[in-house]
């Protein structure tokens, strides 16, 4: 009889965050746990005549000073955010790109829309001034994989590199893919997560037509309210969240402090609709059960869930129902999107990093703006204030347009 193989636990040794809640992991965590209203939620002039004219943006970030004029011009903003987050994560891990074996370093970064704002700008340029005014850099700056390639060039990473595009689950799928690469032994280190920046009039107009975004123009900072009875849609945000993950023996050999472990990953497709999730939650349930099986843990072992929790009516209800069905009523659940905005393809990377911090600090951030919990949502949602708790296992769930579901299991 074949012995059961031990689960593979990738060591998380570094975190990098650039969000509307703060620049840097420390600043973001402080805002999220203190429920400090981020400065980055405000009206956008480009969206003035739309039902949703506001979004979360990263403030207090001088990309020119950090990257230099020449380097900055070679990247769209989502790639700039990715490079800045990657630098923080690598420094946090105590790694020196000047001395590592770059051929053993992988980069996997998710993004839903890539450089969409630059597409918008170039379309306007061509419409107003003709085709000869279109930038030759349009393709290399806007493809989804350009964030990964920019990080590779900045860090000298020469191992497997890829961009992941599974809509709003992209960042989570990127971390899961990195976990698989490390388990397969094709790299020793992986920089993984998500990056997004979509101040795009075209995209927000479409989201308004879809009725997916909040229209609380009178109070943008209170518009995103996951699991609240009065929720009316998500609020778009920008940002980047990247993790440095290592094979456990590699981290041990260099005596690196391990912040947490990525122990299990699962993914699935609803095969149901282009936008709406499977109303029975079968897809996200398969992904979650697959992640638990991969990690060899039971639902009762999970103490905390950082939920996708977008503040849309259907998504929050479906996800909460599945969490209760699979994990029971005991895990402490939060959605941090009311503090960061819904960063689309970056959301999973940002929120996985926050889950690492929750495990490390033994503290579950509150779900901001949750005033009246939806009575149809049967889970223990942390609200009003961060809640100290003792737990060794946590879950991150993500759902994306097109039915792309993903889940991660993290342990201390």
């Amino acid at each position: 009889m074949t012995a059961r193989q031990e689960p593979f636990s990738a060591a998380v040794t570094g975190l990098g965050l650039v969000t509307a809640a703060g620049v840097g992991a420390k600043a973001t965590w402080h805002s999220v746990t203190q429920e400090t209203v981020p400065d980055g939620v405000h009206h956008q002039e480009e969206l003035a005549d739309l039902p949703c004219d506001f979004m979360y943006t990263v403030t207090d970030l001088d990309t020119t000073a950090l990257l230099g004029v020449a380097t900055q011009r070679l990247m769209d903003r989502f790639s700039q955010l990715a490079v800045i987050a990657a630098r923080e994560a690598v420094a946090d891990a105590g790694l020196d790109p000047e001395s590592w074996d770059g051929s053993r370093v992988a980069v996997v970064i998710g993004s839903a829309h890539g450089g969409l704002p630059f597409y918008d700008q170039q379309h306007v340029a061509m419409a107003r001034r003709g085709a000869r005014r279109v930038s030759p850099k349009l393709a290399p700056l806007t493809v989804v994989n350009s964030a990964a390639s920019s990080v590779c060039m900045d860090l000298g990473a020469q191992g497997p590199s890829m961009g992941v595009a599974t809509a709003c689950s992209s960042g989570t799928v990127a971390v899961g893919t990195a976990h698989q690469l490390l388990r397969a032994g094709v790299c020793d280190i992986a920089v993984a997560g998500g990056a997004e920046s979509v101040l795009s009039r075209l995209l927000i107009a479409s989201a308004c037509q879809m009725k997916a975004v909040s229209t609380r123009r009178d109070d943008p900072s209170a518009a995103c309210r996951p699991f609240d009875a009065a929720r009316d849609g998500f609020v778009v945000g920008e940002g980047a969240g990247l993790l440095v993950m290592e094979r456990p023996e590699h981290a041990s050999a260099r005596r690196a402090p391990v912040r947490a472990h990525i122990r299990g990953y699962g993914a699935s497709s609803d095969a149901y609709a282009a936008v709406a999730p499977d109303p029975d939650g079968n897809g996200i349930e398969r992904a979650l059960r697959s992640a638990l099986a991969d990690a060899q843990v039971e639902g009762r072992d999970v103490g905390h869930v950082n939920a996708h929790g977008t503040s849309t009516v259907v998504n929050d209800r479906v996800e909460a129902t599945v969490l209760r069905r699979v994990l029971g009523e005991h895990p402490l659940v939060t959605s941090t999107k009311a503090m960061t905005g819904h960063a689309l393809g970056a959301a999973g990377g940002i929120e996985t990093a926050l889950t690492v911090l929750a495990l490390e600090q033994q503290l579950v951030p509150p779900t901001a703006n949750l005033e009246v919990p939806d009575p149809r949502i049967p889970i223990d949602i942390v609200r009003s204030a961060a809640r100290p708790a003792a737990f060794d296992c946590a879950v991150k769930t993500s759902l994306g347009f097109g039915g792309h579901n993903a889940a991660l299991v993290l342990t201390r």
Side-chain angles (χ1 to χ4, degrees), residues 241-323:
L242 295 177
L243 292 74
V244 169
M245 301 160 57
E246 302 182 49
R247 289 184 59 82
E249 63 270 24
H250 186 272
S252 178
R254 67 184 192 88
R255 298 181 179 178
V258 176
R259 306 191 69 160
H261 295 89
I262 307 294
R263 184 180 169 100
Y265 168 59
S268 71
S269 273
D270 284 352
Y272 175 77
V275 177
D278 178 343
D280 294 323
N282 294 322
I284 186 59
E285 179 172 347
R286 284 194 303 275
L288 179 53
R289 290 192 184 280
S290 178
L292 293 171
D294 188 37
Q296 295 181 23
V297 301
E298 303 292 335
R300 63 176 176 270
D301 300 320
V302 177
H304 166 49
V305 180
N306 186 304
H308 191 56
T310 58
S311 186
T312 54
V313 174
V314 176
N315 178 94
D316 288 10
R317 178 181 53 77
V318 169
E319 183 181 17
T321 300
V322 169
L323 293 177

Side-chain angles (χ1 to χ4, degrees), residues 48-256:
D49 61 334
L50 299 180
C52 178
D53 68 342
F54 53 93
M55 63 180 290
Y56 290 71
T57 57
V58 178
T59 57
D60 299 324
L61 180 68
D62 188 342
T63 55
T64 303
L66 290 170
L67 301 173
V69 174
T71 300
Q72 184 182 25
R73 286 176 177 170
L74 297 174
M75 303 178 205
D76 186 76
R77 183 169 169 84
F78 86 110
S79 295
Q80 296 170 13
L81 300 181
V83 168
I84 293 166
R87 288 178 180 178
E88 182 191 13
V90 169
D92 183 46
L95 290 163
D96 179 8
E98 294 294 326
S99 61
W100 67 19
D101 179 359
S103 68
R104 298 293 297 171
V105 180
V107 177
V108 189
I109 298 178
S111 178
H113 295 284
L116 182 59
F118 193 60
Y119 269 114
D120 284 358
Q121 295 167 18
Q122 295 306 301
H123 174 75
V124 171
M126 185 169 70
R128 291 179 177 174
R129 296 185 287 171
R132 298 177 73 85
R133 304 302 299 177
V134 174
S135 171
K137 297 185 291 185
L138 177 64
L141 264 66
T142 57
V143 288
V144 166
N145 65 289
S146 64
S149 66
S150 295
V151 169
C152 283
M153 288 185 281
D154 190 71
L155 299 178
Q158 298 172 318
S161 168
M162 62 194 77
V164 173
T166 55
C168 303
S169 64
S170 300
T172 304
V173 172
V175 174
T177 301
H179 179 264
Q180 293 177 328
L181 290 172
L182 290 162
R183 174 161 48 191
V186 299
C187 58
D188 296 318
I189 301 168
V191 180
E196 200 83 82
S197 182
V198 288
L199 179 50
S200 164
R201 179 175 169 77
L202 184 66
L203 179 68
I204 303 303
S206 174
C208 289
Q209 291 295 96
M210 196 190 302
K211 301 188 185 306
V213 290
S214 174
T215 57
R216 293 174 181 265
R217 292 172 55 124
D218 58 330
D219 190 6
S221 63
C224 182
R225 44 183 61 232
F227 306 118
D228 192 90
R231 65 191 185 279
D232 71 328
F234 65 82
V235 181
V236 173
E238 67 171 353
L242 295 177
L243 292 74
V244 169
M245 301 160 57
E246 302 182 49
R247 289 184 59 82
E249 63 270 24
H250 186 272
S252 178
R254 67 184 192 88
R255 298 181 179 178

